[in-house]
Amino acid sequence: MSAELVRGQNHPLPETRLEIRISAGTPVVAGATLGDEHGRLAGPEQVVHPAAPALPGLEVSRQAAADHRLAVDLDALAQDVHRVTVLLALPQGTGGPARFGAVAAPFVAVTGLDGTEVASYTVTGLDSESAVVALELYRRQGAWKVRAVGQGYADGLAAMLADQGLPQAARLAADIQEAVAAGIARSVAAPPARTADTTRVRVADTTGAPETTGAPGAAPADATTAPAPAPQQPDPVPPQPAGGGPISYAHPGRQTSAPPSPPPTAPPAAPGQPAQPVAGDATGWSMDERLYNQVWGMFEDLARTTAAYRSAVDFAESRMDQELDRALSDFRGRNQGGNDAARQEARARRDELAARAREVLDRDLAQLTAESEVVEPALPPAFACWDNPVWHAYRVPMEVPMALRLGDLHLPERPELRIPMLVRLPLERGLWIDSGRGRSEAAAFMDEAQLRALAMDTAVAIAARLLAVHPMGEFSVHVIDPAGSAVRSLAPLTGADVLATPPSAGAAGVSSVLARLTERVDLVQMAVRAKAADALPPHLDTAEQLLIVNDFPHGFDDRAVTQLRYLADEGPSVGVHLLMVADREDASAYGPVLDPLWRSLLRITPVPDDHLADPWVGHAWTYEPPLAPPGSQVLGQVLDQVARARRTGSR
């Protein structure tokens, strides 16, 4: 039976291989320290954190997330480790909450590898603190216990680490926040929080199976992995059958806050059969908003069901290792030949558990695939891929959509199941299309010129989308191409005459464009602060602005680099957005000066690459760029429509 701890209370740990599950409702940094019997640290190597996520017996996440699972093997810890302190901290300098008093109380649970909850603790009573010691696992007379701590620190990680005797606390805290900022830079921003009535639920089957609570797509708790701690989860999940019923897309709970125009509903399903998916079956005040919420629901479902599967497989492997260890330590069985049979039985049980987990995953993937096949054709142009027939009936819109498709995301468990990567408009951060090889396998087999050209093609495809989804006259595109190397890629934009000005080349062109856009940012910021929008100069273009920069830093002097950083930081809030095409290695001479620039931009790639992370469990998702199909004329046709509307003043 699980113990619900209060501050200061302890509880014995029945086993030494554990998981610590954290649910915070907002991205937090999770880490741990390995202290002596007094809780003191010998040095920074005793701290497990996103920049150094693993030590013998302990592993934490590499990035900030709303949910964490820390793997702990107390038997594998060094003999001089007597205390494992679990710490949480809010990321600094990321625009998120700065104190725990502004967010939901974090929930921490200690579970066995089979998911059985041993003890839990809700960290309440926090206010100005930005870091907190949640739990500690400590060894007393050879036995391990867990204690609820809940000690907060208003001065953050540095104060917490210093309190444990670490002399280099401030430096290590800065390194941790640096690693977290880098992780956030590669994470897809989550949409606004959904209310409880938007939760995607399962429908019960007719087998009369007992109910349990867990994340969507979770495997049966007795088979592979544990249910999530439902009462404290940020996204509560209604009861579901332990045998795993199909995902329901009817969303019955949404009736309590349905918009005036009710969403479509699925036809009744036969008893025991999954409900048929319906496009737009989500909460929203318009069809576009319902589709947006539905796509994000699919994204989250795929992330969580895959996390459940991977956790189940990890548990099966750990259980097999334990059984093999016991078999090898049995000297009598070794002499009588029983060890071979024990090994075979352990592997057979591992295979059975993994197969059951895969069966649950395949069922959920089939449901999500069915939903994708219904949703994809119904998407509006802003959400649709270039081969969607909706583009053949394209007309210049009358209003700005709520989001834009920047490409597709998929996981290795089902690569053909693609989730549209939708980002809110107006863009909250700039984009960086990486023209370097990085670690991408696809890029490794391409020559440098081909990769750079493909990166610029991707930039043009994104710019064309942005032009197409904005009303006439409400979006302008500028291009800096210092060496004129992107003439071929820019042909769709220049040929349709949809650029605000011709592409700027040379140092003088770079300086002119940056000065003009920097002045615009300054003027709009001053007008906003003074609440005097009518005082803007009449010649100022008030449309949203996109600046495409090719081959950075070629053609840029120090002043131009400073202006570019200024636009990246201050531009999005006043309608100036950056789209950089660059290889970071080309700018290596600037050293760490440009690190804030790279982190401020969302990195995407011109070839498939698994560098983006989801905001729930931190999977590495493979990103596919939003390129038009080979030989397709759709991009040029859409830009011609945009240009025609500008010339004639009509849609």
Side-chain angles (χ1 to χ4, degrees):
M1 183 176 178
S2 174
E4 296 184 9
L5 305 179
V6 297
R7 181 174 297 178
Q9 185 179 359
N10 60 36
H11 187 75
L13 294 174
E15 51 191 298
T16 57
R17 289 192 176 185
L18 305 163
E19 262 194 355
I20 298 175
R21 302 185 177 190
I22 299 164
S23 176
T26 191
V28 297
V29 184
T33 60
L34 306 179
D36 59 19
E37 59 268 25
H38 304 295
R40 311 299 284 178
L41 303 179
E45 67 279 359
Q46 298 296 99
V47 184
V48 188
H49 54 84
L55 284 175
L58 190 59
E59 185 173 359
V60 304
S61 174
R62 294 177 179 271
Q63 66 179 53
D67 300 301
H68 291 271
R69 291 190 178 191
L70 281 59
V72 181
D73 184 352
L74 298 174
D75 288 338
L77 297 175
Q79 288 298 315
D80 59 349
V81 173
H82 291 263
R83 192 174 300 182
V84 178
T85 302
V86 178
L87 57 90
L88 306 177
L90 292 169
Q92 302 298 307
T94 61
R99 58 188 184 91
F100 275 108
V103 301
F107 173 81
V108 186
V110 180
T111 74
L113 290 182
D114 62 352
T116 303
E117 188 174 291
V118 177
S120 64
Y121 173 47
T122 301
V123 189
T124 58
L126 299 177
D127 185 13
S128 61
E129 297 88 347
S130 61
V132 61
V133 173
L135 295 174
E136 63 179 12
L137 313 180
Y138 64 97
R139 179 160 47 190
R140 183 72 51 82
Q141 296 178 347
W144 284 93
K145 295 183 178 182
V146 57
R147 177 187 289 123
V149 180
Q151 174 65 52
Y153 293 83
D155 292 331
L157 268 175
M160 177 194 295
L161 296 172
D163 198 33
Q164 297 184 39
L166 189 66
Q168 309 95 330
R171 179 176 178 181
L172 179 58
D175 291 344
I176 294 173
Q177 293 291 359
E178 183 83 7
V180 170
I184 291 176
R186 59 182 281 271
S187 179
V188 180
R194 292 180 292 161
T195 56
D197 66 340
T198 64
T199 304
R200 297 155 65 82
V201 302
R202 294 176 181 273
V203 293
D205 60 18
T206 58
T207 62
E211 292 185 345
T212 185
T213 303
D222 60 344
T224 51
T225 189
Q232 288 79 17
Q233 286 289 338
D235 296 316
V237 181
Q240 61 186 7
I247 296 173
S248 168
Y249 301 100
H251 306 290
R254 297 181 179 177
Q255 298 305 313
T256 59
S257 62
S261 177
T265 57
Q273 297 297 316
Q276 295 300 311
V278 174
D281 191 13
T283 296
W285 293 93
S286 67
M287 186 61 174
D288 285 6
E289 186 178 358
R290 294 198 290 267
L291 287 167
Y292 172 83
N293 288 333
Q294 188 171 12
V295 167
W296 269 93
M298 293 164 58
F299 187 13
E300 183 175 358
D301 281 350
L302 182 54
R304 293 193 183 277
T305 195
T306 303
Y309 166 71
R310 293 179 181 178
S311 178
V313 172
D314 288 344
F315 165 63
E317 294 285 349
S318 297
R319 178 172 171 174
M320 182 188 69
D321 290 342
Q322 287 180 315
E323 292 175 348
L324 291 177
D325 288 343
R326 286 195 295 267
L328 291 174
S329 63
D330 186 352
F331 294 99
R332 292 173 300 177
R334 185 181 306 172
N335 295 331
Q336 298 172 7
N339 283 352
D340 290 341
R343 280 194 292 268
Q344 291 177 1
E345 291 176 3
R347 293 191 177 100
R349 278 191 289 270
R350 185 272 314 272
D351 293 343
E352 179 187 1
L353 292 177
R356 290 167 65 184
R358 185 72 207 197
E359 182 181 353
V360 173
L361 175 69
D362 287 343
R363 182 204 61 217
D364 287 348
L365 292 180
Q367 286 288 89
L368 288 169
T369 300
E371 185 175 20
S372 176
E373 291 172 351
V374 171
V375 169
E376 191 72 49
L379 295 177
F383 301 175
C385 54
W386 284 114
D387 57 2
N388 191 311
V390 71
W391 286 107
H392 297 298
Y394 168 76
R395 292 292 182 270
V396 176
M398 297 294 291
E399 60 183 20
V400 180
M402 66 182 302
L404 180 80
R405 187 173 188 155
L406 275 187
D408 293 337
L409 299 168
H410 62 84
L411 291 172
E413 282 77 4
R414 185 65 64 86
E416 62 272 21
L417 177 55
R418 308 294 177 89
I419 302 295
M421 179 181 166
L422 302 182
V423 297
R424 294 296 292 261
L425 291 179
L427 296 173
E428 297 176 353
R429 59 193 293 199
L431 304 174
W432 163 33
I433 302 177
D434 190 352
S435 59
R437 297 187 185 280
R439 296 176 298 175
S440 170
E441 294 182 5
F445 297 100
M446 302 176 66
D447 63 54
E448 183 177 331
Q450 184 182 11
L451 192 58
R452 291 179 184 273
L454 192 58
M456 198 61 196
D457 290 345
T458 304
V460 169
I462 293 173
R465 278 180 168 274
L466 285 164
L467 283 165
V469 303
H470 279 80
M472 181 176 54
E474 293 192 19
F475 199 84
S476 298
V477 178
H478 309 263
V479 176
I480 289 178
D481 185 22
S485 60
V487 172
R488 184 199 62 79
S489 295
L490 290 170
L493 297 176
T494 55
D497 195 23
V498 292
L499 294 177
T501 58
S504 300
V510 171
S511 177
S512 174
V513 173
L514 292 176
R516 190 164 62 249
L517 291 178
T518 300
E519 180 187 30
R520 183 192 183 280
V521 170
D522 290 338
L523 290 173
V524 175
Q525 281 186 337
M526 286 188 291
V528 170
R529 290 173 187 145
K531 298 180 180 180
D534 54 349
L536 288 170
H539 68 274
L540 187 75
D541 183 3
T542 57
E544 296 278 314
Q545 310 286 314
L546 177 71
L547 173 61
I548 302 176
V549 178
N550 184 39
D551 276 349
F552 176 81
H554 301 300
F556 282 73
D557 55 21
D558 290 346
R559 175 180 172 81
V561 169
T562 301
Q563 289 176 315
L564 192 69
R565 288 184 55 186
Y566 177 73
L567 292 178
D569 292 337
E570 303 295 333
S573 63
V574 290
V576 177
H577 311 285
L578 194 59
L579 175 52
M580 286 183 56
V581 179
D583 179 357
R584 189 167 181 172
E585 290 298 318
D586 291 344
S588 59
Y590 287 92
V593 172
L594 290 181
D595 286 351
L597 172 65
W598 303 119
R599 284 199 302 269
S600 70
L601 306 173
L602 176 63
R603 175 179 175 260
I604 57 179
T605 53
V607 294
D609 187 36
D610 60 347
H611 67 283
L612 289 176
D614 65 79
W616 302 286
V617 293
H619 291 316
W621 293 73
T622 297
Y623 168 80
E624 300 265 0
L627 297 171
S632 172
Q633 303 299 315
V634 63
L635 191 146
Q637 293 168 0
V638 168
L639 289 176
D640 286 343
Q641 285 268 35
V642 172
R644 186 179 304 113
R646 290 185 174 186
R647 289 194 302 269
T648 63
S650 65
R651 300 171 62 230

